Amino acid sequence: MPPLYNPFTPSEIAANPDNFFGRSDELNSLCNSLPQGSVAIQGVVGIGKSSLLSRGLIQMEGFGSEGSAKCVIAVADKDVKSVDEAARLLVDSFVKIDETQKRIKFKIGPFLETESAEIVKNFAEGRHTAILKRLVEEEFLKSILGKDKFLLLAVDEADKCPDILARLVRSVSTHAQHKGVTRVSFVLAGVTPFFQKMVSEDAGVSRFFYRTILLKPMSLEDAGDLIETKLTKVADAAELQRISIEINPEVITKVVRLSGGHPHILQLLGSHLVIHEGEDPDGVIDSKDLLGALRQICFEDRAGVYDSILDTLDIYERTEELELLFTLAEKGFPTHINKRRALEELGEESIKWFMDHEVLAASDDDSYYGLVDEFLRIRLMLRDADSAGAQSNIERAVIRDVSNKWYL
Ligand SMILES: Nc1ncnc2c1ncn2[C@@H]1O[C@H](COP(=O)(O)OP(=O)(O)O)[C@@H](O)[C@H]1O
Ligand SMILES: [Mg+2]
């Protein structure tokens, strides 16, 4: 059998309008804020920060000449040790400098070239912050952007060097303001709490930021739309290959609930459902495929994420408290932990620790605690069952009918 078409993208960002789902409020908020000032996008790993950043930039750039901005994107890393090195990341994705000819060529805009002995000299001396400051002056902006577009300086993975980025944003933004330039903004994306780290490095930097967007899981409705749309594509593509595939609708509900709307987990679950059905074809994508996917994610694909959380729990001696919390959880997914009982059993300080470390999350109406990532609980359930040589609750839950109380 030829491999099944797999439209899930667990290891790629989703930035194109046709594979980017939900997030309409966040996207509007991003695009409406950028003309007013800089924006920071925060959230846990895999929640969709890079995707929102890219999708936002595509929207701002528009198609053809319609857009309102030109964007430059750089990816920070932990080897960035100075402001000049951070500036260099942006300068490099922005202009190409020809030292012998003393010319600079813009990589964005209508491929302009210009002469600037000063920029070339700064480049040779590694003074990239000075170059970036110069480039955001009106003289250059006019040639790159025309009369009224914005220049967006985007940095992804900002959590890798928040202190240095704080200094870069301050330096470039202050310079732009002194020169009367209002059409340059930064947009930074990174794991929480990178923005708080920037502010603790330099309290004043917050005034350059018009908004911070804290990304939460997608709504369950949008998550359902993602899974259903993509699984339908799998079935349609299979039909063209004369392979018949049915999608058990329960599997969609289960995937959505297990993921809690976390986009990386949605993409992973979806992708493994398809792989599993391809490897062990029975003509229907159902709970059997889901079970294979759960194990794969907990112990392979995202093993590192959970190993690191479990290590942190160990170091802070919180492991037993978490296990106690799970005994308080109602059966089924998404996890519901009674708030009053949790506070009684663990105390306020402990609960705060779990919230601060993004293990626990308060429900929308604040009536119970949920989990930031359901797979932490799933992994512990699978681990306990494996060590007891038993079939775990989670396996029974997944196999059971969704109408069963266990799942509802
Ligand atoms: N709005 C979205 N629609 C569809 N898939 C998404 C969306 N946001 C994120 N994803 C998927 O979730 C995963 C993680 O996204 P990414 O943007 O890399 O997260 P982060 O930068 O927060 O770690 C990727 O597989 C990506 O394809
Ligand atoms: Mg990212």
Coordinates of all heavy atoms in Angstrom, one line a residue, residues 13 49-51 156-157, ligand 2:
I13 N 6.3 25.1 11.5 CA 5.3 26.1 11.9 C 4.2 26.2 10.9 O 4.3 25.8 9.7 CB 5.9 27.5 12.1 CG1 6.5 28.0 10.8 CG2 7.0 27.5 13.2 CD1 7.0 29.5 10.9
K49 N 3.5 30.1 19.1 CA 4.1 31.5 19.1 C 4.7 31.8 17.7 O 4.4 32.8 17.1 CB 5.1 31.6 20.2 CG 4.6 31.4 21.6 CD 5.7 31.4 22.6 CE 6.8 30.4 22.5 NZ 6.3 29.0 22.7
S50 N 5.6 30.8 17.2 CA 6.3 31.1 16.0 C 5.3 31.1 14.8 O 5.4 31.9 13.9 CB 7.3 30.0 15.7 OG 8.2 29.9 16.8
S51 N 4.3 30.3 14.9 CA 3.3 30.3 13.8 C 2.5 31.6 13.8 O 2.3 32.2 12.7 CB 2.3 29.1 14.1 OG 3.0 27.9 14.0
D156 N 12.3 35.7 16.8 CA 11.7 34.6 17.4 C 12.7 34.0 18.4 O 13.9 34.3 18.4 CB 11.4 33.5 16.3 CG 10.4 32.5 16.8 OD1 9.9 32.6 17.9 OD2 10.1 31.6 16.0
E157 N 12.2 33.1 19.3 CA 13.0 32.5 20.3 C 13.7 33.5 21.2 O 14.9 33.4 21.6 CB 14.1 31.6 19.7 CG 13.6 30.7 18.6 CD 13.6 29.2 18.9 OE1 14.4 28.8 19.7 OE2 12.7 28.5 18.3
Ligands
MG2 MG 8.7 28.7 18.3

